[in-house]
Amino acid sequence: MLTKRIIPCLDIKDGRTVKGVNFVELRDAGDPVELAERYTQEGADELVFLDISATLEKRKTLIELVKKVAAAIHIPFTVGGGISSVDDVRALLQAGTDKVSINSAAVKNPDLINELSKEFGSQCVVVAIDSRHVDGVDLVHTHGGTKPTTLETIAWAKEVAERGAGEILLTSMDHDGTKAGFALDLTRRVAAAVNIPVIASGGGGNETHFTDIFQNGKADAALAASIFHYKEVEINHLKNELAKQNLPIRL
């Protein structure tokens, strides 16, 4: 059985790590390079770096900052934000990235998933899905959660898997930043619909929430931000607690 992964996330705006609730009310959470170094030492399995305003500001990812973070860590490193072409991905890989995360560009041009998977391998391509429950339906949102689409989350998850995505980063916008627990039902339905790993994001607040998302939500990995940034939950401690629940964890 594959080990369950714990992944801290650096949401980047103006070169700083930020965190909000339900994608708004952002506050500063520290220097990205310092946090990245700390997470490597604390036993994080991977690190995700999301330039959350790149698409909205119609610009590329902050590549110099990506290089600094990549140089500071020795764990798999995923970068997202403002990526819309094969050339964008190539530049990020050359900067030290292991995987890229695409969202808005994939919705706008689904063939991009196929192109990136063919060029770099599916293991390099993570499709991020920002989902919000609207009038009884789970709908995909783009542009940092600001633009709703008519795409239903489960159907879109199936499509991105078929097109060659290697993983799905599923964020429940309704749960984001609440620390009230992950979206168990949504994550479980997405995981059942696809044959690729699903990273659950949004709502992790304590060790029990992580146990729940692995046991009941069927997630392959769990991502969180503020609880790690502010040391409300420490990664080493979390992994030890999960191991006590007989979950396959890399200690």
Side-chain angles (χ1 to χ4, degrees):
M1 186 184 293
L2 291 175
T3 55
K4 303 293 188 181
R5 291 167 289 148
I6 301 298
I7 307 175
C9 181
L10 305 176
D11 292 317
I12 306 297
K13 191 174 193 303
D14 302 325
R16 295 286 291 179
T17 309
V18 296
K19 193 65 195 107
V21 177
N22 305 132
F23 282 45
V24 295
E25 297 176 11
L26 302 179
R27 60 182 174 134
D28 190 271
D31 176 77
V33 179
E34 290 176 5
L35 284 169
E37 288 176 330
R38 195 183 97 206
Y39 291 141
T40 301
Q41 294 164 1
E42 288 181 2
D45 295 301
E46 299 186 17
L47 182 69
V48 169
F49 172 118
L50 299 177
D51 187 344
I52 60 173
S53 57
T55 299
L56 277 172
E57 295 171 7
K58 296 184 172 62
R59 60 171 172 77
K60 303 301 182 187
T61 310
L62 301 165
I63 202 136
E64 291 306 315
L65 184 54
V66 167
K67 288 179 182 176
K68 290 177 183 175
V69 172
I73 64 176
H74 51 74
I75 54 177
F77 183 33
T78 301
V79 173
I83 299 167
S84 59
S85 70
V86 167
D87 287 344
D88 290 345
V89 174
R90 187 172 288 112
L92 286 167
L93 293 177
Q94 289 170 349
T97 301
D98 299 293
K99 296 184 272 189
V100 296
S101 172
I102 55 174
N103 178 355
S104 305
V107 171
K108 183 179 179 181
N109 173 25
D111 287 337
L112 179 64
I113 303 167
N114 305 67
E115 291 171 26
L116 297 182
S117 178
K118 183 179 178 182
E119 184 73 21
F120 305 108
S122 62
Q123 82 290 337
C124 178
V125 184
V126 180
V127 174
I129 300 177
D130 294 338
S131 178
R132 173 168 269 161
H133 201 64
V134 181
D135 297 329
V137 182
D138 297 303
L139 294 179
V140 176
H141 287 59
T142 63
H143 296 75
T146 62
K147 291 192 176 184
T149 72
T150 56
L151 284 172
E152 291 197 26
T153 300
I154 304 297
W156 178 234
K158 288 180 180 177
E159 181 174 346
V160 304
E162 289 165 1
R163 285 180 174 274
E167 281 187 295
I168 289 171
L169 170 53
L170 175 67
T171 300
S172 166
M173 294 176 62
D174 303 296
H175 289 243
D176 175 70
T178 63
K179 303 179 191 174
F182 292 96
L184 297 178
D185 179 63
L186 176 65
T187 306
R188 184 169 52 244
R189 286 187 289 120
V190 170
V194 301
N195 60 356
I196 58 175
V198 175
I199 305 166
S201 168
N206 58 44
E207 288 91 346
T208 301
H209 296 154
F210 285 83
T211 301
D212 284 346
I213 196 60
F214 290 137
Q215 291 182 338
N216 303 318
K218 306 303 179 186
D220 298 276
L223 177 147
S226 61
I227 58 168
F228 297 147
H229 300 337
Y230 304 119
K231 296 189 176 182
E232 295 165 31
V233 174
E234 297 211 358
I235 293 172
N236 279 327
H237 177 74
L238 170 61
K239 294 177 84 170
N240 284 321
E241 291 301 308
L242 293 171
K244 290 177 186 176
Q245 302 297 322
N246 295 317
L247 284 160
I249 295 293
R250 186 184 295 112
L251 296 173

